Amino acid sequence: MPACQLAGRKHQPQNTVIELPTCRVGSEQVVIIAGPCAVENEDLMITLALALKEMGVHILRGGAFKPRTSPYSFQGLGEEGLRILARAREATGLPVITEVTDVRCLELVCRYSDIIQIGSRNMQNFVLLREVGRVSKPVLLKRGLSATIEEWLLAAEYILSEGNSRVMLCERGIRTFETYTRNTLDINAIPAVKELSHLPVIADPSHGTGRRSLVAPVARAAVAAGADGLMLEVHPRPEEALSDGPQSLLPAQLERLLAELRSLAGALGRQMVNPAYEKSGRDIVNRHRVV
Amino acid sequence: MPACQLAGRKHQPQNTVIELPTCRVGSEQVVIIAGPCAVENEDLMITLALALKEMGVHILRGGAFKPRTSPYSFQGLGEEGLRILARAREATGLPVITEVTDVRCLELVCRYSDIIQIGSRNMQNFVLLREVGRVSKPVLLKRGLSATIEEWLLAAEYILSEGNSRVMLCERGIRTFETYTRNTLDINAIPAVKELSHLPVIADPSHGTGRRSLVAPVARAAVAAGADGLMLEVHPRPEEALSDGPQSLLPAQLERLLAELRSLAGALGRQMVNPAYEKSGRDIVNRHRVV
Amino acid sequence: MPACQLAGRKHQPQNTVIELPTCRVGSEQVVIIAGPCAVENEDLMITLALALKEMGVHILRGGAFKPRTSPYSFQGLGEEGLRILARAREATGLPVITEVTDVRCLELVCRYSDIIQIGSRNMQNFVLLREVGRVSKPVLLKRGLSATIEEWLLAAEYILSEGNSRVMLCERGIRTFETYTRNTLDINAIPAVKELSHLPVIADPSHGTGRRSLVAPVARAAVAAGADGLMLEVHPRPEEALSDGPQSLLPAQLERLLAELRSLAGALGRQMVNPAYEKSGRDIVNRHRVV
Amino acid sequence: MPACQLAGRKHQPQNTVIELPTCRVGSEQVVIIAGPCAVENEDLMITLALALKEMGVHILRGGAFKPRTSPYSFQGLGEEGLRILARAREATGLPVITEVTDVRCLELVCRYSDIIQIGSRNMQNFVLLREVGRVSKPVLLKRGLSATIEEWLLAAEYILSEGNSRVMLCERGIRTFETYTRNTLDINAIPAVKELSHLPVIADPSHGTGRRSLVAPVARAAVAAGADGLMLEVHPRPEEALSDGPQSLLPAQLERLLAELRSLAGALGRQMVNPAYEKSGRDIVNRHRVV
């Protein structure tokens, strides 16, 4: 791995920690990013966002510009989606993350979003990487479907080398021969990246499995492997979702998973503290901490 | 998945539990199988086996017949290796597992070993599968390097359909494009197999990663994903090991990992009880000693 | 590629040529092996064999022991299949090839077959490789579904190191993420193996694609890439075939393909001469008859 | 394959033929695109271009904007590269092709280039696909490293659905577990795409293999499988090339390959006619046509 410099442990031995209003990504905290795959309408988004805040989620996700395999699939609400996302932030106080797909829309997305997401298909869109390297927002960089760990770190290097040091990586499953799951979450990559790089690593078991029933066990696995956080798709009526329904958790399933993760985090010497969540006293009541 | 019958949840909704002197594979217990990749000599094997027993390991592993990519690599001690393994069992009271590669040696292996292992390269050696389907020993069936989950379950079906119902599956990593790790442990496959089949699933993070530094985090991940146990390679001097040194844990690393796993198992509502281990009162102290 | 010795060009710079009654595998000749996937019954086999001889096929194929993913699929006729195959040889004068899957049946298979085939699933069945290394018949070694070129050559090395130097390699497609085709024929592997090794390379576009409509173009491609021959599945009524119907050519399709290949071979400075075929004067007419 | 509409054979049964000054892509002609990976300087480019014209190449290639895995690698000459490419066109009369990576540079690239190339890493850069769908230049769309055939056709659909019907597909190798070659050229994909779609298919054996010694055999294979043309990297001093030296042919190697391909094309009922080339009478002198 000689090619990766700024992203490497040699350049910076200590973990990069990204400070956000509700969490510190890259710290002892397990950070939860959750929301629907796509922003579909304001009512649904606000109601869901309030519920997620109540559960202790740290960051809201929701796609406004959706890169879809077919030109005939739902492509996202565009700027209207960004506005709805911003309203969900106002309603909850949670920071929001959304994907940018077009370099010409970057300024627009930065006006609305707290974190900029680069999707798998754009992991080697070097033009876009350079541009997000020049903005003052943290960036979440998803791994490409068949990107090696080295290529992924070099993609991060494009961002870092332009001056933006707040990069978090997201393992979201690689493409293999297996057809039972949509992708294969590369669990090895989580500790591998943590040993090679100081950047935080988030896992996305929703895309990483593509099947609702596998999301919770693989989410637990990612945390046990050392992930700094999870990105989870949730939808109140997955069968009606405009995108990725089969891999979206129901809100009640997410709530159960978060309780399990609190217990797990405790056993691993980590925690899931959330100021908003604590306020309502839930962490004391609900926690399943094991000493 | 219509083709798999006896291995399927439809045929048998409740988990298959395999009873062994030190553990129940497929129960709430997290079962630990550990030992060197290959049996190399009696002194090393007995000393290591006693240490492993002290740490709470449930089953001893050690290869006597080693399938090696090159005909010029160390091929195992053969029957002498089986004898040494049997002596390690006598010295510790722990059941042993070893691989059979030749259908003509099956009777011999059954004389010495408590569990019969079918390696990855033989997952579709249907002749061998049928024969182990006719013996009265439990069988551990490793997944082939590029076998789909369906093919793996159908390989188990070959064993089950001959009358041997005591089959455990072992996820040991699949082959992908990634070159940083030897294989990619398919974490998705663990809960996937648990939902499709009633058979126990063991994970092998040693082969699944091929790198010592990744074994512990991936072992924790496998347990968090619902694995019924782990198979781990351990060697007192990995740099001198005749096979798979780079992925073998040191005994002290294994001991530390087992302590972490006990804590993790507790948080997941599971346990790692071991009669031999309990006797020495170690489980109560639950110390995290590092040698 | 240091590990491969006897199979390497360094050990033997000139091509290995395997002499058979109808052809010289590894020479300037393009050798055609054809027949049904499985031997199903005597009538069909003899009728088809006579037609194949008429078309200029050099070697007859037909499986008697079929390794099948599911234990509930047709497993081949066993010794009866071998007998039928031998009768087809008598009727045509063409040498025959069939697969051995069980080391205990090797002697039996050698009594009936001119060439011994090791299937993909047994490419790393080292026990079987060693045993075929001790017989006096040529061996066709299929590449494993996810075997690297190095592993494939090392598997050949197991045979060579036991004294059998008449080994031919068979590229039959590797496993990738693509779902439109059954496998992905690795066209790169053909010239790669030819530069690394002196052993002949046969291509199997039937398994390599899994779709009848793709067999002819990929067969032409394999010859253009330097393959020493082709292995092709053919069946008079593919929809009734007990195995691999969707990838079997109809006899008329094979005949058309052979005509194309003759023209192609000529353009490449090679030929498809066949004593039996020449006698009937067909090579001179070089007709492209379609039945 | 229900999702693909405009790209499908159902929508348009007859082949799309793209008319260019020197060739008709998608016709009975085998079209040769050749040039250096990157435009490096004017002298080299013009000298090479004149030599390529003399050999019968139909289209000149050369990268001005190079997408590179590492931000520290040579990134191309940018607009200066485009200018040099345009001068090579003036000097030879051959149309030129170059890659666009940034949607904001599309207009610029269209001013200089006759054909617009979308590289593998941008196959699912849907923003860029839509924009090239609105220009009046033919587009060459490379397949992504792990794109399925369906995804590739749907990427073409993004371009077609915006009104640009002159799309040619380029198979340039997929990512597999094999490490001996840089990529694995998917030979199956060539006839597969030809049966599913009416769009022309070009093969790129330079990227498809990554090794100079394999380029010629795989180029022949691609033509034999039905490719409408080839894209080949050539450099007078590959060891000094700023990009992709190990896979670049020497001019003399390319000339030899073109002679072989003329012979091969003849045997397949196709041709490589080139007005510029014919004028110098070479086709008559050099041709190796086999009837």
Side-chain angles (χ1 to χ4, degrees), chain A residues 46-113:
Chain A
I46 304 286
T47 311
L48 183 57
L50 288 167
L52 296 179
K53 183 202 182 172
E54 280 296 293
M55 290 180 204
V57 164
H58 301 94
I59 301 169
L60 285 180
R61 64 152 287 155
F65 298 100
K66 299 301 305 170
R68 303 302 297 276
T69 302
S70 165
Y72 310 122
S73 302
F74 172 63
Q75 307 274 322
L77 297 181
E79 188 169 358
E80 175 58 16
L82 295 177
R83 269 187 229 112
I84 294 173
L85 202 60
R87 272 177 230 133
R89 175 179 44 192
E90 284 162 38
T92 58
L94 299 181
V96 298
I97 178 170
T98 202
E99 181 171 354
V100 64
T101 58
D102 186 343
V103 74
R104 298 168 303 184
C105 297
L106 179 55
E107 209 184 301
L108 178 74
V109 173
C110 283
R111 275 212 294 279
Y112 292 100
S113 189

Side-chain angles (χ1 to χ4, degrees), chain A residues 6-19:
Chain A
L6 303 176
R9 282 271 178 207
K10 211 177 211 171
H11 174 74
Q12 180 189 314
Q14 79 283 10
N15 286 347
T16 285
V17 177
I18 299 172
E19 308 274 352

Side-chain angles (χ1 to χ4, degrees), chain A residues 3-6 66-73 75 101-104 121-122 124-127 130-131 134 145-148 150-151 154-155 157-158 161 175, chain D residues 3-6 66-73 75 101-104 121-122 124-127 130-131 134 145-148 150-151 154-155 157-158 161 175:
Chain A
C4 145
Q5 298 177 13
L6 303 176
K66 299 301 305 170
R68 303 302 297 276
T69 302
S70 165
Y72 310 122
S73 302
Q75 307 274 322
T101 58
D102 186 343
V103 74
R104 298 168 303 184
R121 291 174 184 81
N122 283 313
Q124 292 194 317
N125 183 336
F126 301 119
V127 170
R130 283 201 191 281
E131 293 294 339
R134 292 170 191 145
L145 256 81
S146 66
T148 62
E150 183 175 16
E151 290 169 338
L154 284 168
E157 194 83 12
Y158 266 92
S161 66
R175 187 158 272 185
Chain D
C4 146
Q5 299 177 13
L6 302 176
K66 299 300 305 171
R68 302 301 298 276
T69 302
S70 164
Y72 310 122
S73 302
Q75 306 276 321
T101 59
D102 188 343
V103 74
R104 297 167 304 184
R121 292 174 183 81
N122 284 313
Q124 292 194 317
N125 183 336
F126 302 119
V127 170
R130 284 201 190 281
E131 292 295 338
R134 291 170 192 146
L145 256 81
S146 65
T148 62
E150 183 176 16
E151 290 169 339
L154 283 168
E157 193 84 12
Y158 267 92
S161 65
R175 186 157 272 183

Side-chain angles (χ1 to χ4, degrees), chain D residues 188-291:
Chain D
N188 295 2
I190 295 170
V193 165
K194 295 297 287 181
E195 80 183 12
L196 291 167
S197 176
H198 50 84
L199 299 173
V201 181
I202 305 295
D204 174 350
S206 305
H207 287 89
T209 64
R211 295 180 83 103
R212 187 174 307 120
S213 64
L214 305 181
V215 170
V218 173
R220 290 192 303 261
V223 171
D228 294 296
L230 296 172
M231 191 167 202
L232 295 158
E233 289 187 350
V234 58
H235 197 283
R237 292 178 298 282
E239 66 289 356
E240 297 170 20
L242 296 178
S243 174
D244 285 351
Q247 72 195 31
S248 291
L249 294 177
L250 287 160
Q253 292 174 316
L254 178 63
E255 188 161 27
R256 213 172 315 140
L257 173 58
L258 295 183
E260 290 171 5
L261 292 172
R262 271 182 203 98
S263 162
L264 190 68
L268 296 160
R270 305 181 63 192
Q271 41 83 3
M272 281 170 60
V273 170
N274 188 335
Y277 184 74
E278 309 286 347
K279 248 182 295 178
S280 62
R282 289 189 172 227
D283 228 20
I284 295 128
V285 179
N286 272 355
R287 69 184 163 171
H288 299 238
R289 221 176 269 158
V290 174
V291 187

Side-chain angles (χ1 to χ4, degrees), chain A residues 218-236:
Chain A
V218 172
R220 290 192 304 260
V223 171
D228 294 295
L230 296 171
M231 192 167 200
L232 296 158
E233 289 187 350
V234 57
H235 197 284

